[in-house]
Every structure is written in structure tokens, then in C-alpha cells.
Amino acid sequence: MRTTMLMSLLACALMLTGCANKQLGQELATARGDLETLRAELDACTDALKKADAAAAGAKTAQALAEERLETYRALAEKLRAAFGDQGLDIILRNGRLVVQLPNAILFDSGKRDLKPDGKETLRKLAGVLKTVKNRRFLVAGHTDNVPVAQKAKGFRSNWELSTLRATTAVEFLVSESMSARQLAAGGYGEFLPTASNDDEAGRARNRRLEIIVMPNASEIPPMPKTL
């Protein structure tokens, strides 16, 4: 009888132990699952913080580059204003670039690509300023109004051709004034980038122009992201 009672107590103890172990196992599994969830959330937070830090650093870099470029533009604008005063050119910012605008009336006769004496003197003065700017490229761009070139001159197929040849003439003259050819490029926009309406003569006169565009250096352009 006593032995039977002991055996029963032992069986109960083993059963209780088994139940306790099972419960502990379940609790341990639950705790491990919670730990994995916390680790995943921590990893996600860490990645988010890294991306936020990278974005903040990129923003600071972009701002610093923009401020540096703006200071370069200001210095060049001051030199140009000192050389030309209030006459002969306009200085504007367009799409983050410094643009020097010269009216065609100073540079060329209507329908012509050859420089006038006043045009040569203007570009000579301009070259004196631009060649002091090192490690910088310039795009010389010609523009016309929307009047077809056939109504203005012979020998040109389009306003594109006329504007491009005028830009090329200006580049060649700037090189003759000791500017580096490596710093210069020529292009023509024809009538397709107007700054004013072509509905009246005043607007057309503004659209007939030569632009010298200060191009940004590669170091001034913020880096592109690795993925889109």
C-alpha cells in the first residue's frame, strides 16, 4: 500500500514536472519570438537612422556646393559690372547657372554672322574678364527671334544655322583674345529659347542675343543616388 502511494506520488511529480517543462518551453519559444521581433524592429530603426543621416549629409553637401558656386558667380558678376558698368550686357541666373546676355545689335548686323567693330570691342572686354576665371568652361549660345531667316538674309538654311554660326564666330574671336579653346563651346538655339514675346519688335530685339553661360564643374554637382 505504501509502495503504491509512493509510486502514485512519483507519477504525479513527474507529470507536474512535465507540465512545468512544457509550459517553460512554450514561454521560452514565445520569448525567442519576441526577441526576433525586437531585433527586426531594431534593424529597421538602425537602417532608417542611417538613411536619415546620409540624407542630412547629402543635403549639407548640396547646400555647401550651391553656396560655393554662388560665391564664384558673384565674384565674376562683380568683375563684369566693373568692366562694363551698366551698359552692354545683362547678367542673370537661370537654372542654377550664371548667364551673360549680349544683344545682337551690338555684335552683328541683321542677317550677318561677322562681328561689327563694336561687337569685337565688347567681346575683347569680355575676354579680358573671362580668361581670369580658371578651371571653368563657358558655352557661347546664339539666339534669334522667330522671323524666318529667309526674310532676313541669304545663305542660311534656318535660324538655327545663323545662331550657331554667330556663336562659333564669337568663340573664335574669344580664342584670338587669348582665351583657352578648351574652356569654350559654341551652340545655337535659333528661336526656340526666347526671353520675351515675339509679337512686337521690342520683344524680338530682346530675343536676338548671344549668351555666355558659365558651366558648373563636375565637383559642384551633387552626387546622384546609387539607385533610382
Side-chain angles (χ1 to χ4, degrees):
M1 184 72 177
R2 188 174 184 179
T3 301
T4 302
M5 186 178 294
L6 288 173
M7 291 296 293
S8 297
L9 290 173
L10 179 60
C12 288
L14 290 173
M15 186 180 297
L16 290 172
T17 302
C19 291
N21 287 339
K22 185 177 180 180
Q23 184 177 357
L24 287 173
Q26 291 175 345
E27 292 177 354
L28 181 59
T30 301
R32 285 175 175 168
D34 292 342
L35 180 60
E36 290 301 320
T37 300
L38 289 173
R39 283 177 175 169
E41 292 177 353
L42 179 60
D43 290 342
C45 289
T46 301
D47 289 341
L49 286 172
K50 287 181 179 178
K51 290 179 180 179
D53 289 342
K60 289 180 181 178
T61 300
Q63 182 179 357
L65 290 172
E67 289 176 354
E68 181 179 346
R69 191 178 355 165
L70 185 58
E71 285 304 314
T72 299
Y73 290 170
R74 283 173 176 158
L76 179 55
E78 289 177 1
K79 290 181 180 180
L80 289 169
R81 291 190 182 103
F84 286 87
D86 296 329
Q87 303 296 322
L89 57 78
D90 291 319
I91 303 171
I92 65 171
L93 283 175
R94 188 176 66 216
N95 298 329
R97 297 175 180 179
L98 182 72
V99 180
V100 180
Q101 296 180 332
L102 301 169
N104 275 350
I106 296 176
L107 303 171
F108 307 100
D109 286 322
S110 178
K112 303 293 184 181
R113 62 165 293 183
D114 298 322
L115 286 166
K116 297 164 60 175
D118 287 347
K120 290 181 179 180
E121 182 58 33
T122 297
L123 289 183
R124 185 174 291 114
K125 191 182 297 186
L126 182 65
V129 175
L130 296 184
K131 64 187 177 183
T132 66
V133 182
K134 307 301 181 184
N135 301 318
R136 184 70 56 172
R137 295 179 183 273
F138 305 95
L139 172 63
V140 180
H143 300 267
T144 68
D145 57 28
N146 67 345
V147 178
V149 71
Q151 298 181 23
K152 298 180 287 189
K154 295 180 180 180
F156 301 104
R157 293 175 294 178
S158 65
N159 280 328
W160 254 336
E161 183 177 42
L162 176 60
S163 63
T164 301
L165 290 174
R166 283 175 167 175
T168 302
T169 296
V171 165
E172 291 171 345
F173 184 84
L174 292 172
V175 171
S176 74
E177 292 295 313
S178 302
M179 282 197 69
S180 171
R182 293 180 179 273
Q183 290 182 269
L184 295 166
Y189 288 87
E191 69 264 34
F192 300 107
L193 194 62
T195 61
S197 171
N198 280 299
D199 293 338
D200 55 56
E201 178 52 33
R204 289 192 293 271
R206 288 183 59 189
N207 291 331
R208 297 190 296 267
R209 68 197 189 277
L210 193 75
E211 293 185 341
I212 292 84
I213 304 168
V214 183
M215 305 302 289
N217 290 331
S219 61
E220 296 173 336
I221 301 174
M224 295 291 289
K226 294 182 179 180
T227 57
L228 295 176

